[in-house]
Amino acid sequence: MGTHDGDPVPGGLAIQQVSDLLGVPAPTLRSWERRYGIPATPRSDGGHRRYSAAALHELRLMRDEVARGRKASDAARSVRALLDTDQPAQARIQRLLAASHELEPQAVREVLEEARAALGLGATIDDVLMPSMRQIGSWWESGHCDIAQEHLTTEAARAWLSWLISHAPPPAQAAPVLLACGPRDLHTLGLEALAALRAQEGLATRLLGARTSQQTLVAAVAATQAPAVVVVSHLSTQRRPAVEALTAVVGTGPLVFYAGNAFLFPDSRDGVPGTYLGATLTGAAATLCQRLLPA
């Protein structure tokens, strides 16, 4: 199904080449294989590790899970689950990736809707949509797909989420929860997925979008009388302005929540005002419901 299926070079890559490609030190790669069996790599005639395209895929997943804040042992379990063809979500991930590769947005939406009917919305978002988007992001990062594929798939997913929100039951309360990216953050898909999850539970939301400035966020709180604000940031280099935006909102009335990869490590949350929503969207949605909706 495209260039990511074949080996990058005949016989596979050497460990230092993989280290340079993925940005993971060679000793770490050896440790992952020795401790967790990720990946199982054949040896050359001289006894050296050789990494196939499948092994690179496995290592990218491992790298990304660790980068999201998981311990290596937990990351390895997550990777094995993602690659387990018996997992209910795995076949749908592969279908979604195939639709993405073929640049078929309608097929992407159909996979997501079929998954929702079979698995439920929360599992579809956390176990099908987001892993698929992380995989496409890894392909783009490594040159195995172009930006057009990433954009098309993202827009197809956004269209599906927008449809869910527009067909949700009326909200139980009028004042919306404000969902915002940090002042330097661009990616809104996770917030749109959170809005879809909350819409199914009768919680009104308003998405302020990418690069929401501190001033815009404070003004939106005043204009909407929002009961809560969620700020998301994904890179450690973008965390500080997101924290400053959170700090500006504290004390103005709403409950304050935050999420994103910039806050995955415990020490990255030291001194951050508000409540951390966790690493999954279903968990974030449940926390918001518990705090905001009547029992």
Side-chain angles (χ1 to χ4, degrees):
M1 188 183 71
T3 58
H4 52 271
D5 285 329
D7 284 344
V9 296
L13 293 175
I15 190 168
Q16 192 56 53
Q17 292 174 298
V18 173
S19 175
D20 294 341
L21 180 65
L22 300 183
V24 178
T28 300
L29 296 175
R30 295 188 186 97
S31 174
W32 288 350
E33 181 185 356
R34 183 175 66 254
R35 295 185 179 184
Y36 312 115
I38 291 180
T41 55
R43 298 294 199 272
S44 68
D45 292 341
H48 301 291
R49 292 174 175 84
R50 308 301 295 182
Y51 292 83
S52 66
L56 283 174
H57 173 48
E58 197 169 344
L59 285 171
R60 284 193 187 98
L61 292 175
M62 182 72 176
R63 177 199 63 184
D64 293 346
E65 289 297 305
V66 170
R68 293 175 66 219
R70 294 182 184 272
K71 295 189 298 183
S73 57
D74 293 335
R77 282 191 289 271
S78 178
V79 169
R80 282 192 286 268
L82 285 171
L83 297 175
D84 185 355
T85 56
D86 293 330
Q87 285 284 331
Q90 185 58 223
R92 293 179 171 88
I93 290 173
Q94 296 307 315
R95 287 179 56 207
L96 194 153
L97 293 175
S100 171
H101 179 68
E102 298 298 328
L103 302 181
E104 291 287 352
Q106 181 59 33
V108 170
R109 294 190 292 270
E110 288 173 358
V111 171
L112 292 170
E113 188 57 23
E114 290 171 12
R116 183 173 74 98
L119 306 176
L121 181 58
T124 297
I125 287 173
D126 275 334
D127 299 338
V128 179
L129 174 59
M130 302 314 289
S132 296
M133 295 310 302
R134 288 196 295 272
Q135 177 60 76
I136 292 167
S138 293
W139 283 342
W140 175 75
E141 180 185 272
S142 62
H144 289 88
C145 78
D146 61 26
I147 197 64
Q149 179 179 342
E150 193 275 339
H151 282 173
L152 178 141
T153 312
T154 298
E155 290 307 312
R158 294 181 68 197
W160 175 72
L161 293 167
S162 179
W163 183 89
L164 291 175
I165 293 169
S166 67
H167 288 76
Q173 56 190 58
V177 174
L178 299 182
L179 307 178
C181 289
R184 296 182 185 174
D185 286 271
L186 290 170
H187 298 293
T188 64
L189 186 63
L191 286 176
E192 291 170 80
L194 182 59
L197 284 165
R198 289 310 81 230
Q200 303 303 307
E201 299 293 337
L203 193 64
T205 58
R206 188 162 301 167
L207 183 65
L208 299 182
R211 289 181 171 172
T212 301
S213 70
Q214 177 179 318
Q215 294 79 5
T216 297
L217 186 60
V218 171
V221 169
T224 62
Q225 299 298 301
V229 169
V230 178
V231 174
V232 168
S233 184
H234 291 296
L235 295 177
S236 59
T237 54
Q238 299 163 349
R239 182 172 58 244
R240 182 175 178 180
V243 173
E244 290 172 350
L246 288 165
T247 302
V249 172
V250 169
T252 64
L255 298 173
V256 175
F257 302 87
Y258 61 94
N261 290 344
F263 302 106
L264 280 170
F265 293 101
D267 60 1
S268 70
R269 302 194 289 272
D270 288 345
V272 179
T275 301
Y276 176 56
L277 287 176
T280 68
L281 287 162
T282 49
T287 297
L288 289 173
C289 271
Q290 291 166 4
R291 296 289 299 275
L292 296 170
L293 290 179

